[in-house]
Amino acid sequence: MKKLTKLGAVSALSLIIGATSAFAENIKIAFIDPLSGPFASTGTNGLHQFEFAADYLVNQKGGVLGGTNFEVIGFDNKISPKESLIQLQVAIDQGVRYIVQGNSSGVANALTEAVEKHNKRNPDSRVLFLNYAAVDPALTNEKCNFWHFRFDANADLKMDAITDSIVANPDVSKVYLIGQDYSFGKAVAAAANRFLGEKSDTIEIVGDELHPIGKVKDFTPYSRKIVASGANAVITGNWGADMLGLGKSIIENGFEGPIYTYYAAGSGITAAFGESGKGTIRLVGEGKVNPSPSQEVSDYYNAFLAKHPDGNLDQTRIANTIGMLARAIEEAGTADDVVAVASALEGMEYETMFGGKILMRASDHQAIQDLHIFEHTDEDIAFPYDGSTFGVKVINTIEMAGADSPTTCEMKRP
């Protein structure tokens, strides 16, 4: 047997250590969302969904680029734009090149500006911002940039679907608008006014107001105004504790019409509404699990529940975000060159297991996909939320919603 010299042994050992280290280096994904405070349950559930998607869809299938795994790291931003920027820098300092965030468009606006500035100043440590739920239309219009991709439909696209449903409902003649006082809440109200004005001459908006985000403990004064207005439908973009507090208060004060929402499911909200929300709570969103479109979806959901018995797969776009990122990295042949990864994401058509396809529109980095109107119910629910018997069921589908929608984005590419 040939003996290694001392120098040869050291060199061989170095090669082994280097190869092992390179193989073990995961692709880090920073999850920057609330993990404490009033919206902690929403953020924590989202983190669990990202961790599960990365493991189930990527790591258990051999990873990407011949064996590299995804690693999702949670960063608590306390729903604060300022804290989010601090966590962004911490993540970048740890070698993270992919940022995911979704709770609060105010946070998303701060992050996308910071990412753009960082990438201009630091071409060797550029990062991509993968927005999975912040739906302020400005993010893919006047504030668009090459480094930001939105995997959720924006507020305008969702409102287009909601107002189609409202106009088709002969029982609705008066609508009350209420939402959180920040960029997203304002965008929802503006879109509702515009679309209802364009689609109907008979539907009247009888209320339009905003409330402080995350600070209202008792929504009774707002609910009484809604009931007194004579409204027979409500539209709100509220999410988290604000969605639950507002919705329960409206119902408890005697409102009996439909409440159209963006985020009234999962994270404890479905169980809390229970029987009271049946026939009242409606929401718009992508993907579907009731009825399950395939055995693949059923297997995915059951595997998630085995790991998180009290959790919910209430954001199917999270799986789509991970799946599309993995494909883009494979097509680019690298995870380090985020320009190449972004270029692979642009214009990508992705067949989602939840039904239909997703087009990542190259002009503004807005995902175009099927949207559904869901109803809160305990009938025909194979996969309920929150350990309850209630879930959401598709009652209407708009295929490739907003495919021809305009954008004011003027993309500047590196």
Side-chain angles (χ1 to χ4, degrees):
M1 178 183 294
K2 183 178 180 181
K3 293 183 178 180
L4 290 174
T5 64
K6 184 176 181 180
L7 179 60
V10 171
S11 299
L13 181 61
S14 298
L15 286 172
I16 293 170
I17 292 174
T20 303
S21 178
F23 183 77
E25 185 67 26
N26 294 333
I27 296 169
K28 297 177 181 179
I29 301 169
F31 175 92
I32 302 179
D33 259 328
L35 300 175
S36 64
F39 301 108
S41 62
T42 302
T44 300
N45 192 44
L47 175 59
H48 289 164
Q49 290 182 66
F50 264 108
E51 291 171 334
F52 178 77
D55 186 57
Y56 189 95
L57 299 175
V58 179
N59 300 347
Q60 291 184 26
K61 296 182 178 180
V64 295
L65 304 177
T68 305
N69 286 342
F70 280 1
E71 178 184 359
V72 180
I73 308 169
F75 292 83
D76 183 11
N77 69 357
K78 304 177 178 63
I79 208 66
S80 161
K82 182 178 180 180
E83 183 66 26
S84 298
L85 298 185
I86 294 172
Q87 297 303 323
L88 171 65
Q89 190 57 56
V90 172
I92 291 173
D93 290 344
Q94 292 182 11
V96 174
R97 295 294 171 260
Y98 300 96
I99 309 296
V100 297
Q101 181 271 338
N103 295 297
S104 173
S105 288
V107 169
N109 275 290
L111 283 176
T112 193
E113 291 175 6
V115 166
E116 184 174 30
K117 290 178 181 177
H118 169 83
N119 288 353
K120 285 181 180 178
R121 297 168 181 166
N122 304 276
D124 294 331
S125 62
R126 288 166 167 162
V127 297
L128 288 188
F129 175 21
L130 310 180
N131 169 5
Y132 73 95
V135 295
D136 181 356
L139 291 164
T140 46
N141 282 285
E142 63 268 25
K143 292 186 178 180
C144 75
N145 67 64
F146 179 77
W147 315 104
H148 168 269
F149 290 83
R150 175 157 43 203
F151 294 81
D152 198 359
N154 69 41
D156 285 358
L157 299 181
K158 290 187 175 183
M159 186 55 68
D160 195 4
I162 287 174
T163 49
D164 276 350
S165 181
I166 288 175
V167 170
N169 187 343
D171 296 328
V172 175
S173 59
K174 296 181 179 181
V175 177
Y176 202 103
L177 312 178
I178 182 168
Q180 296 154 314
D181 189 6
Y182 76 115
S183 59
F184 170 57
K186 293 174 183 177
V188 168
N193 276 283
R194 183 172 77 255
F195 284 121
L196 286 174
E198 292 173 354
K199 296 177 182 181
S200 175
D201 295 326
T202 59
I203 293 178
E204 179 185 2
I205 295 177
V206 294
D208 187 352
E209 65 179 316
L210 301 171
H211 65 80
I213 181 172
K215 296 181 179 179
V216 179
K217 303 302 180 184
D218 183 3
F219 281 93
T220 300
Y222 296 98
S223 301
R224 287 176 176 169
K225 282 200 292 183
I226 292 170
V227 174
S229 73
N232 37 40
V234 172
I235 297 176
T236 181
N238 278 22
W239 55 277
D242 284 343
M243 178 61 250
L244 180 58
L246 174 66
K248 287 187 71 67
S249 180
I250 292 173
I251 294 169
E252 289 168 359
N253 278 276
F255 183 80
E256 297 181 349
I259 302 173
Y260 289 90
T261 76
Y262 283 58
Y263 302 114
S267 300
I269 292 176
T270 298
F273 275 122
E275 186 68 28
S276 68
K278 190 173 180 179
T280 299
I281 299 296
R282 310 279 174 84
L283 64 153
V284 63
E286 82 301 328
K288 57 182 177 181
V289 294
N290 293 306
S292 176
S294 67
Q295 187 61 46
E296 182 183 13
V297 169
S298 297
D299 291 344
Y300 185 76
Y301 204 108
N302 285 325
F304 178 81
L305 290 178
K307 191 174 183 67
H308 301 286
D310 298 324
N312 303 300
L313 278 174
D314 55 354
Q315 300 182 82
T316 57
R317 56 190 172 274
I318 289 176
N320 298 334
T321 301
I322 289 294
M324 293 177 74
L325 174 61
R327 178 183 291 182
I329 288 172
E330 289 284 9
E331 290 183 3
T334 176
D336 297 326
D337 184 354
V338 299
V339 174
V341 176
S343 298
L345 273 173
E346 284 193 325
M348 178 183 289
E349 290 191 8
Y350 181 80
E351 291 291 334
T352 169
M353 65 177 162
F354 300 101
K357 70 176 181 179
I358 302 170
L359 169 65
M360 182 57 71
R361 195 162 60 179
S363 60
D364 56 356
H365 295 183
Q366 170 63 60
I368 301 298
Q369 58 200 306
D370 293 352
L371 289 181
H372 312 286
I373 301 297
F374 299 92
E375 181 180 63
H376 173 102
T377 183
D378 60 352
E379 299 176 3
D380 301 321
I381 297 296
F383 297 105
Y385 289 154
D386 306 330
S388 70
T389 59
F390 288 86
V392 296
K393 182 174 66 175
V394 174
I395 58 174
N396 190 32
T397 298
I398 301 91
E399 294 183 356
M400 296 301 284
D404 298 325
S405 60
T407 178
T408 60
C409 176
E410 296 182 2
M411 188 77 68
K412 294 181 180 179
R413 292 172 168 79

